[in-house]
Amino acid sequence: MARIIVVTSGKGGVGKTTTSASIAMGLARRGHRTAVIDFDVGLRNLDLVMGCERRVVYDFVNVINQEANLNQALIRDKREDNLFILPASQTRDKEALTKEGVGRVLDELAQSFDYVVCDSPAGIEHGATMAMYYADDAIVVTNPEVSSVRDSDRMLGILASKSRRAERGDEPIREYLLLSRYSPERVARGEMLSVDDVKDILALDLLGVIPESQSVLSASNAGVPVILDEASDAGRAYADLVGRYLGEDLPHRFLEAQKKGLLSRLFGG
């Protein structure tokens, strides 16, 4: 049976789709058969980040409505045979995601996949609640800003009360913190919350810290999950994150400002 992971946040624009794509790719590259689903009906972006937008024929809503079967809608990643993408519909309303329909699709995926990653819309709208309802694990993505952290704290309350696990009285969803767009230099200047500040507010296990990096935007524009950019700090941070999720004891990197060399200090570089 697959482990269902929801990537969620209280605020938009924090990097959920980038995170979903990189986690799914990272799990698949480690030999785990993985599916990643776009729950943002009407505003799909996952297929762009994964570089498969021209291969979309059927989508998640088609499968829910039994207009196509799962095999017809799943897109195998060109770079990794263990990875499959289930895109969202661009033309349907979010209400097309029904609890029964989503559950049926996830149950079918669970029969042949190790992990199912659910890329959730932001906030508490219908698509987001559907993405988190069946989750076993939740990765809460936040920027080191007060408003983003506050909204993420609200999401934790929803995860704890409105999931299937909560309704059944089962073991709670395992919750993890992912801090994105982190800049130690800006933290030092007092322009961002520190890692410890965010951990104190949300009281979650820190799964990863993704540094602010141009490589994230460049990879997204190229239709490549940034985890494949092994030369970038962001790519290495996502690879570390996947390792930690799978139980590896890895130190957190990119938490300290890089020290300038002598020439940089002398000439203000």
Side-chain angles (χ1 to χ4, degrees):
M1 293 292 288
R3 190 90 184 164
I4 298 173
I5 307 166
V6 64
V7 179
T8 187
S9 75
K11 188 176 182 180
V14 299
K16 288 185 303 301
T17 299
T18 295
T19 296
S20 297
S22 287
I23 289 175
M25 178 62 77
L27 290 169
R29 292 184 83 194
R30 286 168 172 260
H32 302 287
R33 188 171 162 85
T34 305
V36 57
I37 306 175
D38 191 345
F39 273 79
D40 201 356
V41 174
L43 294 171
R44 76 178 185 216
N45 286 309
L46 180 65
D47 56 314
L48 294 172
V49 175
M50 298 299 298
C52 64
E53 68 276 9
R54 295 181 182 178
R55 298 166 61 200
V56 176
V57 178
Y58 295 108
D59 57 51
F60 191 15
V61 174
N62 289 140
V63 180
I64 287 175
N65 291 340
Q66 298 180 316
E67 298 159 348
N69 63 45
L70 196 53
N71 285 333
Q72 289 176 293
L74 283 172
I75 301 169
R76 187 192 290 269
D77 187 82
K78 291 181 178 179
R79 297 149 297 206
E80 176 52 63
D81 286 345
N82 283 321
L83 180 57
F84 293 78
I85 301 96
L86 183 56
S89 171
Q90 281 187 306
T91 60
R92 306 293 183 96
D93 187 86
K94 296 180 190 296
E95 299 301 320
L97 298 180
T98 64
K99 191 176 291 185
E100 178 186 12
V102 170
R104 188 178 66 248
V105 174
L106 291 176
D107 284 345
E108 187 174 348
L109 287 168
Q111 302 306 312
S112 57
F113 285 87
D114 301 313
Y115 293 99
V116 178
V117 179
C118 302
D119 180 24
S120 171
I124 56 174
E125 50 101 324
H126 183 71
T129 57
M130 286 295 98
M132 71 178 67
Y133 181 75
Y134 292 98
D136 299 307
D137 300 328
I139 297 174
V140 180
V141 185
T142 187
N143 292 159
E145 302 165 355
V146 171
S147 61
S148 181
V149 173
R150 180 192 62 194
D151 290 346
S152 292
D153 200 22
R154 186 182 184 194
M155 294 305 298
L156 294 176
I158 295 170
L159 284 166
S161 60
K162 292 192 174 182
S163 68
R164 181 172 65 172
R165 284 174 170 266
E167 289 179 359
R168 292 179 173 181
D170 293 341
E171 181 181 343
I173 294 172
R174 293 192 310 193
E175 299 166 343
Y176 301 95
L177 171 64
L178 172 60
L179 196 54
S180 61
R181 297 180 180 168
Y182 191 75
S183 170
E185 292 81 9
R186 293 181 64 188
V187 171
R189 295 195 298 267
E191 298 172 3
M192 278 185 173
L193 298 174
S194 70
V195 171
D196 288 338
D197 290 335
V198 178
K199 287 173 65 179
D200 287 345
I201 295 169
L202 297 180
L204 292 179
D205 290 334
L206 182 64
L207 191 61
V209 177
I210 311 301
E212 201 167 39
S213 173
Q214 178 63 33
S215 61
V216 173
L217 179 60
S218 299
S220 294
N221 287 339
V224 178
V226 71
I227 194 172
L228 296 179
D229 183 0
E230 297 175 357
S232 71
D233 288 351
R236 294 196 295 271
Y238 273 117
D240 288 351
L241 181 156
V242 172
R244 288 190 203 98
Y245 176 78
L246 293 174
E248 297 175 15
D249 185 13
L250 300 173
H252 289 280
R253 300 189 278 177
F254 317 114
L255 304 187
E256 304 295 332
Q258 293 183 351
K259 295 182 179 179
K260 293 182 179 179
L262 177 61
L263 292 177
S264 293
R265 294 198 302 272
L266 288 175
F267 295 104

